[in-house]
Amino acid sequence: MMALPGGRHLDSITLPGQRLHLMQVDSVQRWMEDLKLMTECECMCILQAKPISLEEDAQGDLILAGGPGPGDPLQLLLRRGWVISTELRRIGQKLAQDRWARVHSMSVRLTCHARSMVSEYSAVSRNSSKEMGQIEKLLMEKCSELLAVTERCLQVENEHVLKSMKACVSETLSMLGQHFGQLLELALTREVQALVRKIDASDNIYTTESTTGNLFSLTQEGAPLCRIIAKEGGVVALFKVCRQDTFRCLYPQALRTLASICCVEEGVHQLEKVDGVLCLADILTDDSHSEATRAEAAAVVAQVTSPHLPVTQHLSSFMESMEEIVTALVKLCQEASSGEVFLLASAALANITFFDTMACEMLLQLNAIRVLLEACSDKQRVDTPYTRDQVVTILANMSVLEQCASDIIQENGVQLIMGMLSEKPRSGTPAEVAACERVQQKAAVTLARLSRDPDVAREAVRLSCMSRLIELCRSPSERNSSDAVLVACLAMGIQLQVKKTKISALLWLLFWYVQGCSA
């Protein structure tokens, strides 16, 4: 399965750090900016909650200060929202541990943050709606209730009384969190509406670029923000940008934002309504567009065809343009100048092979097997397990077709797929280890399916495939400790034996598996 940076979920891999020239997020810079927000409530803590705690975890207190610059309501909301959410979670943890002094001091701090968010946002935003005013009032009332009840808890020593009061604190905390969530959603919705209106009305490249960049930053905050953007017309506005020649230089940025929004069903629904698939097909098939633009269009295609989103199975407009899109993606894979571009194009093809079986037949007709296997020998295009995951996913899905076996033999693909059985992570990160497991598993599945053809089975045995399978079954470290890889290797071994009738080798395979389990 695949997920693009910032939450874009595709179907076969996870993509940390794969699009360096397309998007960079400086986490250190983000951390340093957040540090500016860490001091404001100290005075209030001393005045209202007694001296700052000397408990061992006091150093972990979140004390927010300063804040975003004037006129930046979005950043104010996001940062204050993050701090308040964190405080709510931590108060719940301390409450579960019956640490009443900490619960009260953190409740004071929470109240300060909530009051600051309300006052600061009111100062920089336009006139608040009546609904927002009501929720602000409810939020502050619950903060006052929380302060009062936690202060009373400090004076109670009877455990039975504290137990009943604990339930009251928990309920108050829950209602406070609910009001906070409603207020934050309303405020963010207002800001998103303003951004979308600005993009929709702008005919200035620089204004559109800046506003689209702000919208993209919001998509990186997670699925809830993407749902709000989709609901408030963000998809419609961005496709409007992608249909104007005067904004051609902004197509990559707009498409990147669209791919992020389409990680949620609401985004895909909106894309369908504005004939977004047709627009993507036009961009992919137009060679006058830059490679970066077509790569970003491929990323949107990969996103909207992800099996993670059930709604993608009902994209009727995609079927109408599928042949054009598949042809353009194969061409993009063949001509890709970098690993990032090849990764996005191959990820889109991999997801499409799940989306509809007709795609596999189209790929055969387009000689996609040759294109993919040739790319695997080019380190400039295929240089990570994430990319090999895409390639082997396509081959695994195509291997259900009978003609696929002969094409793979003709291109010496059996040896290349066998090489994927030895995929090892370089860095040892969880994402890379998971990608290597997927590559090994899908390689074994592909070979098992292809081994229905006697020629493939003979070639696999000639290349000592059985020895490698025994090694994978016997040694967990060789298969990255994956049970899924083990099952796939056993299935492949059985398929080879059915074709070659070498029962002794199969018995050895099962013997080493049993030995490995008993060890």
Side-chain angles (χ1 to χ4, degrees), residues 369-387:
I369 290 178
R370 177 178 56 79
V371 172
L372 294 172
L373 294 179
E374 285 181 355
C376 286
S377 302
D378 181 1
K379 296 299 182 183
Q380 187 174 356
R381 287 184 288 171
V382 180
D383 59 345
T384 69
Y386 306 110
T387 314

Side-chain angles (χ1 to χ4, degrees), residues 2 10 12 302 305 342-352 390 394:
M2 174 176 183
L10 306 185
S12 300
T305 53
F342 183 89
L343 177 61
L344 293 171
S346 59
L349 285 174
N351 285 357
I352 292 173
Q390 301 311 303
I394 298 169

Side-chain angles (χ1 to χ4, degrees), residues 66 81 89 96-97 114 191 279 296 308 317 332 445 499 516:
R89 176 179 54 81
Q97 299 168 2
E191 298 306 318
C279 180
E296 293 292 354
H308 288 304
S317 59
L332 189 58
V445 169
K499 292 296 178 184

Side-chain angles (χ1 to χ4, degrees), residues 59-70:
Q59 294 300 317
D61 290 347
L62 290 170
I63 344 182
L64 189 83

Side-chain angles (χ1 to χ4, degrees), residues 100-141:
W100 295 105
R102 296 292 292 150
V103 169
H104 181 60
S105 64
M106 294 172 74
S107 297
V108 173
R109 196 161 47 247
L110 173 67
T111 301
C112 295
H113 290 314
R115 185 181 295 115
S116 295
M117 185 183 82
V118 170
S119 61
E120 289 173 4
Y121 182 67
S122 298
V124 299
S125 67
R126 293 155 293 281
N127 294 330
S128 297
S129 65
K130 183 178 180 180
E131 184 181 8
M132 283 188 67
Q134 292 173 342
I135 297 177
E136 287 173 2
K137 183 179 178 181
L138 290 172
L139 174 64
M140 297 317 301
E141 286 177 355

